[in-house]
Amino acid sequence: MLDGAAPEHARDELLALADVVRADAHEARMLTGADSPQQLEAAAADLVRAGPRVVALAFAEGNVFAGRGPGPNVETLTLPFGDEQVVDTTGAGDALVAALTVALLRGEPVPDAARFAVAASGATVGHPSGRPALLGLG
């Protein structure tokens, strides 16, 4: 799991070795140069073709997920942030990474893992210091 932007001097090596790559909105811009969800979808698919099995990139309104589909296909999915009232974003990214990892380790398909990850992330933002009750999410 590579969480964050890879340093420029080792980016290609790290991306090739990573099974999952996750970047917040700032890191996603640094990693891809993309400015829109559509550009992020294309960039995420390109990253998957370069090595990782799953890529999750954040943008201002949500997350783009890309993963290996059947055969050589790369599937992308854009999920907006939920409608939860945001009290504090502390821990939202960590919850997303943890839930995505758990779901993938369970063998769930990337779209299901992505939805589970976004639900976990959304569960954190309504609580100060990112301390939600994550039990019962999956």
Side-chain angles (χ1 to χ4, degrees), residues 73-98:
N73 297 331
V74 175
E75 299 173 329
T76 61
L77 174 67
T78 299
L79 295 174
F81 294 133
D83 57 1
E84 298 85 5
Q85 181 178 353
V86 176
V87 173
D88 186 351
T89 60
T90 302
D94 293 335
L96 187 136
V97 168

Side-chain angles (χ1 to χ4, degrees), residues 1 20-22 54-56 65 95-105 110 113-114 116-117 120:
M1 168 68 77
V20 178
V21 173
R22 161 69 181 153
V54 177
V55 172
F65 295 86
L96 187 136
V97 168
L100 182 62
T101 301
V102 165
L104 292 171
L105 287 172
V110 173
F116 181 64

